[in-house]
């Protein structure tokens, strides 16, 4: 009965007849009057389908059952509304650190998909929602792929330091032009259904209501067959592949380095050597996948995946009960926060004492919609949700008020006093301050328990992390609502204790200031940046300081100095003068670099001297350890995740503390001590290293 009820639940999906057998945990099998077998993937106890040992093991049993009593065709689809299949179970991949066990599992998985692939009757994958990684490999083992409108297809393995490992390489090459298939695997970006159709990955794109008819047509062989891509013939020759691989390698090397991210290079080489021979490619894919799985890059990127889940998942599951948000301050941050909230479906009013600033908020939101390529109707809906509020009428109906006025405690307190009598009962008030301790602001409000920080970073649409800043009087319910809201708008929330610089600015500032000191010593800016890029940072500290704004960096540095004294590198006088002259970085067209629009003009620079990366990065690590010791964040994993998503800290290194542990805590401490002897007490190891060392 339960199985029947579960089967009937998502009524909008064509799921075939009621299941004939119910003794599998993750699969359901039914046969309709035309002898079509409907095989439904419905992973037990999960909102999203993923592939693991149990799911593939059961699939093997189902296939054996079907071989004994063959139907006319098999329809394979997901019974979950969330989509077809998100890929391999990442938890399982993370645990696969025994090479023999890993090989056994991967080979067993291959054997199951090969068995499906070998069916002589038509096998039809019907795909709705995301069909990613192992999910796509499963769909590729079927003869037909029918995409329901809205489906998406991709190989995100490269983002985890891997490439497809369940036959995806050679099966994608069967149906797509080789360079197109490689592009899909190298970039990790999914294709929407129409693009997947245009590239040969799916046979048809259709509305859900046409699924039954399309399945019947495919089963009867009435759907038009794909033609083998013409370039497949050309690239069956090794010489053609070698030439193309050279170009692909060069293009990939412009984006990532092989010593940091070996997977895309391994994939190109795999194809170059074996792209003309499916059997050889199958064996080599397994071998190469297993080698990659053992690399520190893949292990660390799998860890980063888990860190992201750790930040997002608990908050996503919680309720926030926030419908209307009122934003005060329509400047750089306020206007972007309001636009982002409206884009995410919230009703937003925005106020500013400067009517011109306020009037510019809607065009800013329109520009965001344009950048996100929203359909005109969807864009109009976003703009309809964003209300410029000249009278301040939105305050009274707001469940959340976000303050984003300039970084001045007195100004903020005066504003709160003005807002207080108009706030709705139970409304949250959040400040976007980047450096003022909340203790200096909270008593300006009648209920400090409902006051906290929501520290968005600039640019709001690109920076994933949002610090949810809590002082010791914040109500637990307010904290939980704020975390849930941040998750609901597609950002990663991290709860941090109110203390100078919170987490991200606290760890980033010593790194940026150390870069200034290296400039003062005469090292060219591009060389300083090179040292950080060689370590794996996405941008160097000099360029980053210019992007953030030297005025902003200076203000944060002064606050951190006042709080932590010698532990923070000194601010060079020339930097202050530069800011006074208005040379504040990218926004001014001139800062530490000269800027041409979005790009700094960088001269070719000599190699940085050995040890430069340590001088830059170890202060960041030291500040991270101090934050952990002081309880600014709850634990090591949260800290690593927040620093990666908030600063871009080289993800393939698994986070600052994970990096320190991999390198050896004692070695890092010794390196800090040596730097302290050479350059001064700012490098003195934080006492928190002792606890880390003892773990
Ligand atoms: P901004 O100067 O660009 O904008 C502030 C806006 O507030 C202006 O439009 C101003 O007219 C308005 N304003 C001033 N007083 C007001 C009042 N009493 N009532 C209504 N409107 C008022 O500032 P910003 O860069 O957007 O910074 C806002 C806050 O966000 C600051 O606390 C800052 O520290 C923080 N922050 C800034 C960045 C950044 O990169 N700019 C990043 C993170 C956090």
């Amino acid at each position: 009965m339960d199985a029947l009820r579960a089967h009937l639940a998502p009524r909008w999906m064509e799921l075939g007849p009621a299941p004939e057998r119910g003794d599998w945990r993750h699969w359901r099998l039914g046969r309709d009057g035309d002898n079509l077998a409907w095989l439904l993937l419905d992973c037990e106890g999960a909102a999203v389908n993923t592939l693991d040992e149990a799911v593939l093991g059961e699939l093997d049993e189902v296939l054996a059952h079907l071989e004994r009593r063959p139907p006319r065709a098999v329809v394979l689809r997901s019974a979950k509304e969330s989509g077809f299949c998100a890929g391999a179970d990442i938890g399982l991949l993370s645990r696969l650190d025994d090479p023999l066990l890993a090989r056994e599992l991967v080979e067993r998985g291959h054997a199951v998909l090969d068995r499906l692939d070998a069916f002589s009757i038509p096998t039809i994958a019907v795909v709705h929602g995301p069909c990613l990684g192992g999910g796509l490999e499963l769909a590729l083992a079927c003869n037909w792929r029918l995409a329901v409108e809205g489906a998406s297809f991709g190989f995100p393995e490269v983002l985890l330091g891997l490439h497809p490992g369940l036959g995806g390489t050679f099966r994608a090459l069967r149906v797509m032009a080789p360079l197109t298939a490689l592009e899909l695997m190298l970039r990790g970006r999914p294709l929407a259904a129409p693009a997947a159709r245009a590239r040969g990955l799916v046979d048809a794109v259709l509305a859900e209501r046409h699924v039954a008819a399309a399945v019947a047509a495919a089963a009867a062989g009435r759907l038009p067959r794909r033609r083998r891509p013409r370039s497949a013939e050309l690239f069956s020759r090794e010489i053609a592949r070698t030439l193309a691989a050279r170009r692909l390698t060069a293009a990939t090397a412009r984006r990532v380095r092989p010593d940091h991210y070996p997977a895309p290079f391994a994939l190109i080489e795999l194809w170059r050597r074996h792209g003309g021979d499916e059997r050889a490619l199958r064996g080599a894919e397994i071998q190469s996948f297993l080698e990659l799985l053992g690399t520190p890059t893949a292990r660390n990127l799998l860890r980063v995946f888990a860190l992201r889940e750790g930040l997002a998942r608990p908050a996503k599951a919680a309720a926030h009960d926030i419908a209307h948000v009122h934003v005060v301050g329509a400047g750089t941050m306020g206007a972007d926060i309001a636009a982002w909230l409206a884009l995410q479906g919230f009703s937003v009013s925005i106020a500013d004492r400067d009517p011109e600033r306020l009037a510019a908020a809607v065009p800013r939101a329109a520009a965001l919609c344009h950048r996100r390529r929203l359909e005109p109707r969807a864009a109009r809906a976003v703009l309809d949700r964003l209300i410029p509020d000249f009278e301040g009428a939105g305050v009274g109906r707001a469940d959340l008020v976000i303050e984003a006025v300039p970084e001045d405690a007195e100004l903020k307190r005066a504003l709160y006093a003005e807002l207080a009598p108009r706030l709705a009962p139970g409304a949250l008030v959040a400040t976007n301050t980047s450096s003022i301790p909340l203790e200096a602001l909270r008593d300006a409000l009648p209920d400090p328990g409902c006051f906290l920080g929501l520290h968005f970073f600039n640019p709001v649409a690109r920076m994933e992390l949002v610090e949810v800043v809590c002082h010791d009087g914040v109500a637990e319910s307010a904290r939980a609502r704020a975390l849930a809201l941040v998750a609901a708008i597609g950002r990663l929330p991290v709860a941090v204790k109110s203390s100078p610089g919170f987490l991200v600015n606290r760890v980033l500032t010593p790194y940026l200031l150390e870069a200034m000191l290296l400039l003062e010593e005469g090292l060219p800016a591009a060389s300083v940046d090179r040292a950080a890029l060689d370590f794996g940072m996405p941008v160097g500290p000099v360029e980053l300081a210019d992007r953030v704004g030297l005025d902003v960096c200076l203000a944060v540095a002064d606050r951190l100095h006042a709080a932590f004294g010698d532990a923070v590198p000194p601010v060079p006088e020339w930097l202050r003068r530069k800011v006074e002259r208005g040379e504040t970085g990218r926004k001014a067209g001139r800062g530490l670099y000269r800027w041409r629009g979005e790009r700094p003009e960088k001269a070719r620079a000599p190699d940085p001297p050995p040890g430069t990366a340590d001088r830059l990065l170890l202060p960041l690590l030291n500040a991270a350890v101090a934050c952990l010791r002081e309880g600014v964040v709850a634990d090591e994993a949260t800290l690593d995740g927040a620093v990666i998503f908030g600063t871009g800290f080289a993800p393939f290194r698994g986070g600052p503390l994970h990096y320190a542990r991999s390198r050896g805590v004692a070695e890092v401490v010794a390196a800090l001590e040596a730097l302290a002897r050479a350059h001064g007490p700012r490098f003195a190891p934080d006492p928190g290293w002792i606890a880390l060392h003892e773990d």
Side-chain angles (χ1 to χ4, degrees), residues 107-372:
E107 286 186 343
R108 226 185 296 147
H110 262 266
V112 178
L113 295 201
D114 288 353
R115 186 172 199 167
L116 174 61
D117 195 348
F119 267 38
S120 52
I121 51 171
T123 48
I124 306 154
V126 176
V127 175
H128 67 278
C131 174
L132 303 173
L136 180 51
E137 295 179 291
L138 175 63
L140 278 165
C142 297
N143 313 132
W144 301 94
R145 277 161 300 287
L146 307 181
V148 176
E149 285 165 354
S152 58
F153 299 81
F155 285 119
E157 288 87 346
V158 75
L159 306 175
L160 296 171
L162 300 167
H163 57 55
L166 270 182
T169 58
F170 64 86
R171 290 200 179 98
L173 288 166
R174 267 187 208 163
V175 297
M176 300 173 84
L179 296 184
T180 312
L182 283 168
E183 173 78 6
L184 188 64
M185 292 183 249
L186 287 171
R187 287 291 186 156
R189 253 189 257 131
L191 293 173
R197 165 85 183 86
R199 288 162 179 75
L201 192 55
V202 302
D203 300 285
V205 182
L206 41 104
E208 178 63 42
R209 64 182 185 284
H210 295 143
V211 165
V215 161
R222 290 199 309 268
L223 275 190
R225 274 269 162 216
R226 291 173 307 268
R227 263 195 242 118
R228 192 172 146 78
R230 250 181 266 151
S231 60
E233 180 59 35
L234 169 68
F235 289 114
S236 64
R237 291 185 217 113
E238 189 171 344
I239 175 77
R241 290 198 304 278
T242 301
L243 290 173
R246 214 172 281 159
R247 270 192 296 114
L248 280 173
T249 304
T252 306
R254 281 195 287 276
R255 288 187 290 114
V256 291
R257 291 171 40 153
D259 51 337
H260 294 166
Y261 294 99
F265 300 92
L267 176 67
I268 296 168
E269 181 57 10
L270 191 66
W271 173 71
R272 187 193 70 75
R273 292 182 59 186
H274 305 291
D277 176 347
E278 194 171 301
R279 268 187 76 80
L281 183 54
R282 181 190 180 283
E285 179 200 276
I286 297 177
Q287 181 60 31
S288 171
F289 178 83
L290 290 170
E291 282 168 14
L292 289 171
L293 191 60
T295 59
T297 293
R299 315 271 1 129
N300 288 339
L301 291 177
L302 287 165
R303 173 183 154 77
V304 173
F305 184 90
L307 296 178
R308 173 193 291 281
E309 292 284 288
L311 289 177
R313 191 176 283 166
K316 246 189 216 160
H320 54 72
D321 299 327
I322 291 171
H324 183 77
V325 183
H326 182 75
V327 178
V328 188
T332 308
M333 296 305 289
D336 284 0
I337 293 169
W340 185 258
L341 286 162
L343 184 78
Q344 300 298 322
F346 285 82
S347 146
V348 186
S349 47
I350 180 162
D352 197 294
R353 67 179 176 195
D354 176 346
E356 272 181 33
R357 283 272 182 133
L358 186 51
V362 172
R364 285 265 285 278
L368 175 66
C369 295
H370 180 71
R371 283 200 302 279
R372 300 241 139 197

Side-chain angles (χ1 to χ4, degrees), residues 328-334 351-354 357 403-408 411-412 415 418 431-436 455-458 548 552 587:
V328 188
T332 308
M333 296 305 289
D352 197 294
R353 67 179 176 195
D354 176 346
R357 283 272 182 133
E403 166 271 301
V405 302
E407 193 73 340
D408 173 337
L411 180 73
K412 288 182 193 281
L415 174 67
E418 199 185 298
T431 173
N432 189 47
T433 178
S434 43
S435 62
I436 304 174
H455 187 205
F456 288 83
F457 295 91
N458 187 12
V548 170
V552 177
K587 59 190 167 192

